[in-house]
Amino acid sequence: MSMQRRDFLKASAIGLAAGGLSSRAHANAAKAKVVIIGAGFGGATAAKYIRKWDPSIDVTLIDREAKFVSCPLSNLVLAGLKTLDDISRTYDGLKSHGVNVVVDEVTAIDTDKRVVKTTQGNFPYDRLILSPGIDFRFDQIEGYDAKAQETILHAWKAGPQTLKLRQQVESMPDGGLIVIGMPLAPYRCPPGPYERVCLIANYLKRAKPKSKIIMLDANPDVASKKALFMKAWGTLYKDWVEYRPNSKVLKVDANNMTVSTEFEDFKANVINVIPPQRAGQVAELAGVRTDSNGVWCPASFVTYESRAKANVHVIGDSVLSNYPKSGHMANNMGKVCANAIVEILNGRDPNPVPILANTCYSAVSEDKAIHVATVFRYEAAKDQMTAQPGGGVSADLSEVEAVYAEAWAEGIWNDTFM
Amino acid sequence: MTRISALLLATLMAFPAISNSTATPPIGQLIYLPAKPVAPADFMAVPVAMTENGKVFMQWMFVPAQALANLPAASITPPALMPALPMTVAPAAPAAATPKPAANSTHARSMTATCNACHGTDGKSHTAIPPLAGLDKAYFVQQMQDFKSGKREATVMHQHAKGYTDEEFQQMADFFAAIKP
């Protein structure tokens, strides 16, 4: 291990000398350049913490969007309980840490020459961090082509689709049917789809009480916080929610507004399909989406360096792992990765026992929430993040936890972007 | 339990003796247990060996935690099966004890950073979640121990505190005490 590190340091020193120092007019030349693609919970956190822990490292953060819209709490927008502005943040805080924020589309990544290309120009790097989130495997569902995607939304990346799905639900006549389809695990945000069912039901109960939701879950059972979601549906939304396990969505027809499982067709006013997912396309550009199905990115749990490409790190939902794909985990992966890169670039060893803690809140109504919390610790013998004993969920649907859920969101947005 | 998860449970229970052989695993055999589930209500995504057209594939399956609770913690490590599987899995690190980080390393900085998502960067919270910056060391350690033991009631902190050692509570306490709130 240490021999590899010595060799790496030799190689990177040669690379740095050959590549020349940063061309920016700095009083002190940058020690190294880190380029980060994806300014969500993972990438933005990594950018901030690298600058915080070693401001002599140049950090460029590239994202196609000009600002951040949070997937956590976006289901409250669907319920009419929050606005999109409430859950949005700018990148100004990151700029105040000296992060160079570039709003652009990445067109190519040359992992040999260590250059990221966008429409605006080239960004050379010593270390690259990819935090591209997820992309959708629409091809896994018959009929879910580009045309169908205009009507049948996923709203699983917060932003314009969140507002559009809200509009669809709001314009539905009372007595209408909403069908929500969700994929087999692993997918982004295990409790998210069930929270969506609760919050849309909450809106229907208030505003369109003759309407219904049918949830088609590909999984054999509720995949997260099961007892608590079942209690919410049973006690708060009994007349509005029908939950169907083992009901994978196989086909959609946007013209006839039908959605089909193996055994049944449903005609609905609103169809919301959350398709099966894979690591974001940028991971493919770098050649790191290399698990057996080309879906997720195998990476070290100590440094998040890709198992396939040296000097390319992957964090967030894109990583092949046994732990949940959550914003909280992405934020913490960003810090582990940031620390590892800062240590390596300073000739030290990365933290050999990284710890990731996950706390995940779900709103079940306008005033109650539930959570799950787990601590994961790196176990070298198995080369994995091992869930520690003692983690668990809420005792019950809770008003106190709804307060903490709001605080959690404010806190993590601050920690990530301010 | 649904029909399919009962079937899966039965399948997994049929292969209790998991060995480190390099032979092709039978269909439906759990070949790698990533981690023990922590809550009975949880499901876990685990890789299960399946065969198709004479080739062995790993397929993610979603399994109720009860199905995994009685399986031994040690199971086939991926490298032993790599010749038989097309899946790219990281080689296991040499079977050594998990290394202890040096006391003066940046381990404390990295470890406490996970607290920041709720308690604010450097423990400086501006929300209903309490700040940690500048807290008295002894008080900090006592609270974490009381969360861990259940002596202090909590909605979530007991679940976090149980994931750390007393020595780590001391390191966290030292770290946060040194930060001016």
Side-chain angles (χ1 to χ4, degrees):
Chain A
M1 187 62 182
S2 62
M3 177 148 79
Q4 283 176 330
R5 185 169 62 84
R6 247 181 270 131
D7 285 346
F8 156 75
L9 286 173
K10 254 191 269 173
S12 64
I14 291 167
L16 282 171
L21 299 168
S22 167
S23 58
R24 288 154 149 257
H26 279 208
N28 305 300
K31 177 181 293 166
K33 284 184 197 295
V34 174
V35 172
I36 304 175
I37 304 175
F41 284 108
T45 303
K48 167 177 163 171
Y49 275 81
I50 290 176
R51 290 294 305 166
K52 185 179 151 59
W53 288 334
D54 190 349
S56 73
I57 296 174
D58 223 44
V59 175
T60 298
L61 176 63
I62 305 171
D63 196 288
R64 61 165 70 103
E65 301 293 341
K67 68 175 177 176
F68 169 81
V69 184
S70 176
C71 285
L73 274 65
S74 64
N75 285 331
L76 289 165
V77 176
L78 298 179
L81 296 169
K82 277 204 186 296
T83 69
L84 212 66
D85 256 351
D86 290 335
I87 64 171
S88 301
R89 287 292 182 273
T90 70
Y91 298 129
D92 294 344
L94 296 172
K95 290 174 189 169
S96 75
H97 285 282
V99 175
N100 176 31
V101 177
V102 174
V103 179
D104 201 357
E105 189 80 32
V106 170
T107 53
I109 301 175
D110 186 332
T111 53
D112 292 325
K113 298 205 177 87
R114 299 205 223 169
V115 178
V116 170
K117 298 182 187 190
T118 73
T119 70
Q120 287 173 33
N122 293 351
F123 297 90
Y125 65 84
D126 297 294
R127 292 274 166 166
L128 174 63
I129 304 178
L130 303 180
S131 193
I134 54 161
D135 273 328
F136 300 104
R137 306 178 73 192
F138 297 110
D139 60 300
Q140 302 282 299
I141 295 173
E142 191 188 329
Y144 208 177
D145 58 19
K147 189 84 179 44
Q149 289 161 35
E150 289 170 26
T151 313
I152 297 175
L153 306 172
H154 51 77
W156 215 242
K157 286 187 192 184
Q161 285 220 359
T162 311
L163 289 180
K164 205 170 163 194
L165 180 57
R166 167 68 187 157
Q167 278 157 20
Q168 287 183 347
V169 168
E170 258 190 307
S171 345
M172 186 181 76
D174 192 7
L177 173 66
I178 302 174
V179 175
I180 303 178
M182 60 171 288
L184 275 171
Y187 55 87
R188 158 179 285 183
C189 189
Y194 309 109
E195 184 196 55
R196 178 168 288 183
V197 169
C198 285
L199 290 174
I200 294 182
N202 179 274
Y203 166 71
L204 296 179
K205 188 172 170 180
R206 281 181 275 124
K208 298 181 204 290
K210 288 187 255 169
S211 310
K212 270 201 164 38
I213 303 171
I214 296 179
M215 165 64 117
L216 301 175
D217 189 350
N219 298 292
D221 208 339
V222 174
S224 174
K225 304 167 184 157
K226 174 189 167 177
L228 293 163
F229 278 119
M230 292 258 151
K231 182 168 184 178
W233 296 336
T235 59
L236 300 174
Y237 308 119
K238 190 149 163 292
D239 296 333
W240 291 274
V241 173
E242 199 185 308
Y243 171 73
R244 308 270 194 103
N246 294 313
S247 299
K248 186 198 274 196
V249 169
L250 295 178
K251 180 177 164 189
V252 295
D253 183 335
N255 294 322
N256 296 319
M257 284 302 282
T258 60
V259 51
S260 307
T261 64
E262 191 181 347
F263 300 112
E264 220 174 329
D265 302 316
F266 300 85
K267 189 162 166 65
N269 300 82
V270 177
I271 301 174
N272 169 217
V273 172
I274 303 162
Q277 295 149 28
R278 72 199 309 187
Q281 182 60 22
V282 155
E284 187 61 19
L285 289 182
V288 298
R289 201 164 60 184
T290 53
D291 73 350
S292 60
N293 301 314
V295 173
W296 306 111
C297 306
S300 155
F301 295 115
V302 174
T303 62
Y304 288 98
E305 191 171 23
S306 160
R307 311 269 193 197
K309 288 283 171 84
N311 305 306
V312 180
H313 299 249
V314 187
I315 56 176
D317 292 350
S318 297
V319 174
L320 177 72
S321 78
N322 62 317
Y323 49 75
K325 296 186 184 302
S326 75
H328 199 111
M329 290 298 270
N331 163 286
N332 281 326
M333 281 187 255
K335 290 159 187 167
V336 170
C337 183
N339 191 61
I341 287 178
V342 167
E343 295 302 272
I344 289 168
L345 291 175
N346 281 284
R348 299 188 294 260
D349 282 325
N351 179 354
V353 188
I355 300 173
L356 298 172
N358 191 40
T359 310
C360 166
Y361 285 97
S362 302
V364 296
S365 70
E366 70 279 2
D367 63 351
K368 291 193 182 64
I370 58 179
H371 84 275
V372 60
T374 317
V375 176
F376 297 90
R377 180 185 293 269
Y378 182 66
E379 198 180 331
K382 291 187 181 163
D383 193 20
Q384 69 176 33
M385 298 301 291
T386 303
Q388 301 301 290
V393 298
S394 311
D396 204 344
L397 317 183
S398 163
E399 282 172 11
V400 159
E401 290 202 31
V403 173
Y404 283 134
E406 288 277 345
W408 168 89
E410 194 68 33
I412 197 170
W413 293 333
N414 289 342
D415 184 41
T416 304
F417 296 105
M418 296 301 290
Chain B
M1 210 185 286
T2 65
R3 184 176 59 84
I4 290 182
S5 52
L7 177 65
L8 191 55
L9 175 59
T11 305
L12 292 171
M13 286 296 141
F15 297 97
I18 296 171
S19 71
N20 271 319
S21 103
T22 52
T24 306
I27 298 171
Q29 180 173 14
L30 174 65
I31 59 172
Y32 177 52
L33 185 63
K36 283 287 197 154
V38 292
D42 277 352
F43 272 69
M44 288 203 61
V46 294
V48 177
M50 311 284 274
T51 65
E52 191 180 291
N53 298 329
K55 267 177 116 172
V56 179
F57 289 95
M58 282 187 32
Q59 170 76 44
W60 284 101
M61 300 211 79
F62 216 45
V63 176
Q66 291 114 300
L68 304 173
N70 296 322
L71 291 175
S75 48
I76 295 177
T77 55
L81 290 170
M82 270 180 81
L85 294 175
M87 174 165 165
T88 307
V89 177
T98 298
K100 267 188 113 173
N104 63 351
S105 72
T106 51
H107 175 74
R109 170 178 90 181
S110 175
M111 177 179 60
T112 56
T114 65
C115 311
N116 299 351
C118 288
H119 289 278
T121 308
D122 292 334
K124 297 178 185 176
S125 172
H126 302 289
T127 72
I129 297 171
L132 304 176
L135 278 184
D136 175 71
K137 275 188 228 180
Y139 171 79
F140 186 105
V141 172
Q142 190 63 56
Q143 299 316 299
M144 291 302 279
Q145 286 172 341
D146 288 351
F147 284 134
K148 192 170 180 178
S149 70
K151 184 161 174 233
R152 176 172 169 177
E153 272 193 43
T155 54
V156 63
M157 275 312 298
H158 56 304
Q159 292 154 349
H160 284 286
K162 286 174 187 175
Y164 298 88
T165 64
D166 274 354
E167 195 185 324
E168 285 168 335
F169 293 160
Q170 297 283 351
Q171 289 172 0
M172 293 173 189
D174 286 340
F175 183 87
F176 284 116
I179 300 175
K180 239 204 288 251

